[in-house]
Amino acid sequence: MADVINRPWLERYDEGVPPSLEYPSGTLVDVLRATAADRPAHAAVIFKGTTLSYGTLDRLSTAFAATLAAEGVRKGDRVGLLLPNCPQFLIAQFGIWKAGGVVVAINPIYTEPELELPLRETGAEVLVALTRLYARAKAVQPRTSVRRIIATNIKEYLPPLVALLFTLFREKKEGHRVTLAPGDAWFSSQLAAGAGKPAPDVTVSAEDPAVILASGGTTGTPKGVVGAHRSYVQAGLQLRHWIEALCAPWVDRIMLPLPLFHVYANVGVQGMALMGHNPLALVPNPRDIDDVLATIRKVRPAFFTGVPTLFTALLNHPDVREGRADFSSIRVCFSGASALMAETRRRFEELTGGRIIEGYSLTEGMMACVVNPVRGTVKTGSVGMPLPDVDVLIVDADDPARVLETDAVGELLIRAPQLMDGYWNNERETAISLRARPEGGTWLHTGDLGYLDSDGYLFLVDRKKDLIKTSGYQVWPREIEEVLAAHPDVLEVGVAGVPDPARGEVVKAWVVLRPGTGSTADDLRAWCKTRLAPYKVPASVEFRNELPKSMVGKVLRRMLTASEPPA
């Protein structure tokens, strides 16, 4: 059947944004090499006062690729990155790609059980880790395929004076001073060993896998989303054209406080910066609002990326409230990951004089985005319209074959060139999420409910069935339920997200204790703290005599949250 998609949003595009784009056949590695050859001194990465040029990033990543190849990393092999936002992340990432490897991007605040899962499932044999995380990585190594850990200290790319102060006053106290076990290596030594050596003789195409990112999908169980090299180029170009009116290529700086292990930053912002040759200013910890403000002051970014909780935190900072912060350089901000309150947007735009554009995507979409225009109409409650070459359909949630009309609520489907290739080693879940349709091509079934208005603006009315989004992070209830269920006093447990004015949602657990036991809420939260990242630990625990269940015995989370007050 011919493509019969109705695209009313095209008439609402900002002037100069094309309805469709032509995409180069290469990868971000090709973009890096070309830019390094054309303008080697042009700034690629800004970090804490240190600037890495395109030439330096290209040279160092080639050196790392050479050492990876010498140690046996071949095309298709997975290499883990357990790093915050820092130059080492990008150097290692491009080095892995040049060696033909696949990046496994891992949340650096994962606990040991959480860290073990992606390493074991992907079969990664090499892991690059921050020194502060080295002991944690060593603890899980025996239960994974990891044969070598390459450690790097955050101070390696700090300015000399800052690095000295860090060494004297923070390095030992914060756990960065470590002794490597036999067989492991320093990242700096690897770069030195590979200096001047040619890149491995390996051909990497746009269709080859580039990254594995974590997602819960529509079923709520953690999975690895495989993204191809083309996704970075395609998403980057789409976003580049969308914001070009307010963020000039080559010149304007893009600030990235969001973590590079997440699709938002890794594919969307990184791709956009590389495709536009914009200097990318990295912030290692977005919860350090003092540092975020200091970076804004020093870097003077034109484009700022965040999540609603970050914008709220900035607005509530004393320096901002008292008028001591200067946001005048910011012309456009991108907000994603959870719903942006209209009042937050109003206050931030009033403060900066810039514009916050809210958008929507998901890891499986590889930043196939729906975004509000940077100059045109923003409709309250809408996440915007599809980018060039991104199509959306609203279908009956129970009968996906039936396409719904304007303003009718149903499941959101997305078609775009950069969609994920699938879930790592999980054909069954891939077949659930990616399906062919009569309209042509492969469509991603998001599991989210929403509707399109007559102008093609998308309004979301419900999130994925059970996914919790807290402070921009994704939390899968089943994972927390399994941790709590392992407690000897817990008989039954249900977990869901409840509204929170500061974080959007927080995790809440409903627990039935075994007869004769007496664990408290604090006891159960302490149990979780040793097994889960902080944002996954239940903010509250409610004890009940029984939990609502379906006919087949499944705990009904929607009934647990029905009595919760709104935020």
Side-chain angles (χ1 to χ4, degrees):
M1 183 183 294
D3 190 332
V4 292
I5 303 298
N6 182 29
R7 303 180 178 91
W9 54 80
L10 295 180
E11 298 179 12
R12 309 295 173 183
Y13 273 13
D14 286 338
E15 183 179 355
V17 177
S20 184
L21 302 170
E22 291 189 11
Y23 303 99
S25 59
T27 71
L28 282 192
V29 172
D30 299 314
V31 174
L32 172 61
R33 285 171 170 158
T35 309
D38 183 32
R39 301 191 191 182
H42 186 70
V45 182
I46 301 170
F47 181 73
K48 298 283 190 178
T50 295
T51 299
L52 260 66
S53 68
Y54 272 90
T56 300
L57 179 58
D58 186 47
R59 174 176 54 80
L60 293 177
S61 58
T62 295
F64 189 58
T67 62
L68 288 176
E71 294 177 3
V73 173
R74 299 292 180 260
K75 184 173 181 178
D77 288 350
R78 281 75 60 204
V79 178
L81 294 184
L82 187 64
L83 299 168
N85 287 8
C86 58
Q88 295 96 309
F89 190 110
L90 297 178
I91 294 168
Q93 171 194 258
F94 277 99
I96 294 165
W97 288 345
K98 288 179 179 181
V102 180
V103 171
V104 180
I106 304 173
N107 187 338
I109 67 172
Y110 270 178
T111 62
E112 289 180 17
E114 294 166 313
L115 173 58
E116 178 186 336
L117 179 64
L119 291 175
R120 189 180 68 244
E121 292 291 321
T122 62
E125 296 186 3
V126 177
L127 175 66
V128 183
L130 194 70
T131 45
R132 183 172 54 84
L133 309 173
Y134 179 72
R136 193 181 309 166
K138 292 302 291 183
V140 305
Q141 184 178 3
R143 302 187 295 278
T144 71
S145 301
V146 174
R147 54 181 170 80
R148 183 171 230 200
I149 298 175
I150 300 172
T152 182
N153 194 311
I154 195 71
K155 72 179 183 181
E156 291 170 16
Y157 289 91
L158 295 176
L161 178 58
V162 178
L164 176 61
L165 294 174
F166 179 85
T167 302
L168 294 174
F169 301 108
R170 294 178 58 186
E171 183 178 41
K172 184 177 181 180
K173 181 175 68 174
E174 296 180 6
H176 288 272
R177 192 172 297 170
V178 301
T179 300
L180 299 189
D184 292 338
W186 290 105
F187 187 69
S188 56
S189 299
Q190 296 290 95
L191 296 184
K197 295 182 179 178
D201 184 16
V202 58
T203 300
V204 178
S205 77
E207 297 303 317
D208 286 325
V211 71
I212 300 175
L213 300 169
S215 174
T218 58
T219 58
T221 56
K223 292 178 286 293
V225 171
V226 181
H229 282 279
R230 69 174 186 280
S231 299
Y232 290 84
V233 173
Q234 291 163 341
L237 271 182
Q238 291 166 0
L239 289 163
R240 177 69 259 165
H241 281 275
W242 197 256
I243 68 164
E244 195 160 9
L246 294 181
C247 184
W250 292 102
V251 178
D252 286 331
R253 296 175 172 186
I254 296 174
M255 184 168 160
L256 182 60
L258 305 174
L260 278 163
F261 67 79
H262 191 279
V263 68
Y264 183 172
N266 188 275
V267 179
V269 181
Q270 181 181 194
M272 179 177 62
L274 268 290
M275 297 308 295
H277 317 289
N278 295 92
L280 188 61
L282 301 178
V283 175
N285 180 8
R287 292 171 295 281
D288 185 348
I289 303 302
D290 288 339
D291 185 48
V292 173
L293 289 172
T295 304
I296 292 173
R297 183 173 62 252
K298 294 174 185 176
V299 171
R300 306 288 295 165
F303 188 98
F304 181 89
T305 59
V307 294
T309 50
L310 178 56
F311 293 117
T312 299
L314 286 168
L315 289 170
N316 291 332
H317 192 279
D319 285 355
V320 176
R321 291 201 309 267
E322 296 170 17
R324 297 195 299 267
D326 182 6
F327 293 165
S328 60
S329 68
I330 299 174
R331 295 194 293 275
V332 60
C333 302
F334 191 100
S335 178
S338 59
L340 178 69
M341 298 297 176
E343 180 63 14
T344 302
R345 179 167 63 86
R346 184 196 66 77
R347 289 177 61 200
F348 201 83
E349 289 183 345
E350 184 179 87
L351 178 70
T352 63
R355 180 153 181 168
I356 294 184
I357 56 172
E358 186 175 7
Y360 164 87
S361 188
L362 62 169
T363 308
E364 289 81 354
M366 285 285 144
M367 293 305 288
C369 283
V370 176
V371 189
N372 274 291
V374 299
R375 290 192 180 277
T377 301
V378 173
K379 297 189 179 185
T380 301
S382 172
V383 292
M385 62 189 72
L387 293 177
D389 299 312
V390 177
D391 282 321
V392 300
L393 280 179
I394 303 296
V395 302
D396 188 295
D398 297 317
D399 180 13
R402 188 166 72 90
V403 178
L404 302 182
E405 301 296 326
T406 297
D407 296 327
V409 174
E411 184 182 4
L412 170 64
L413 274 56
I414 298 178
R415 179 178 66 182
Q418 70 263 42
L419 296 182
M420 70 168 181
D421 285 351
Y423 296 116
W424 177 257
N425 284 345
N426 198 330
E427 294 182 3
R428 187 181 69 84
E429 293 280 358
T430 299
I432 293 173
S433 293
L434 296 177
R435 308 180 209 171
R437 290 187 58 86
E439 294 83 2
T442 299
W443 292 78
L444 173 64
H445 289 242
T446 68
D448 287 327
L449 300 178
Y451 66 91
L452 290 169
D453 72 5
S454 58
D455 293 326
Y457 282 74
L458 175 66
F459 293 78
L460 297 178
V461 299
D462 200 2
R463 296 180 179 176
K464 292 179 182 179
K465 185 177 180 182
D466 290 312
L467 183 68
I468 303 168
K469 291 186 177 179
T470 179
S471 299
Y473 291 109
Q474 292 185 348
V475 178
W476 305 297
R478 179 177 172 183
E479 184 180 14
I480 303 167
E481 288 170 352
E482 289 179 349
V483 168
L484 282 168
H487 191 286
D489 287 1
V490 172
L491 178 64
E492 294 179 344
V493 59
V495 169
V498 296
D500 180 83
R503 290 178 280 176
E505 285 184 317
V506 292
V507 177
K508 180 172 180 176
W510 291 262
V511 171
V512 178
L513 292 176
R514 296 184 184 278
T517 61
S519 286
T520 66
D522 287 342
D523 293 334
L524 296 183
R525 294 184 73 252
W527 171 272
C528 291
K529 285 178 180 178
T530 63
R531 294 162 174 82
L532 294 168
Y535 64 87
K536 296 180 182 178
V537 175
S540 62
V541 178
E542 179 180 328
F543 294 100
R544 291 194 175 185
N545 293 325
E546 61 180 7
L547 301 180
K549 302 181 184 69
S550 68
M551 290 296 291
V552 296
K554 182 178 180 181
V555 174
L556 298 174
R557 297 189 183 112
R558 66 179 183 275
M559 293 184 65
L560 291 173
T561 59
S563 60
E564 292 293 318

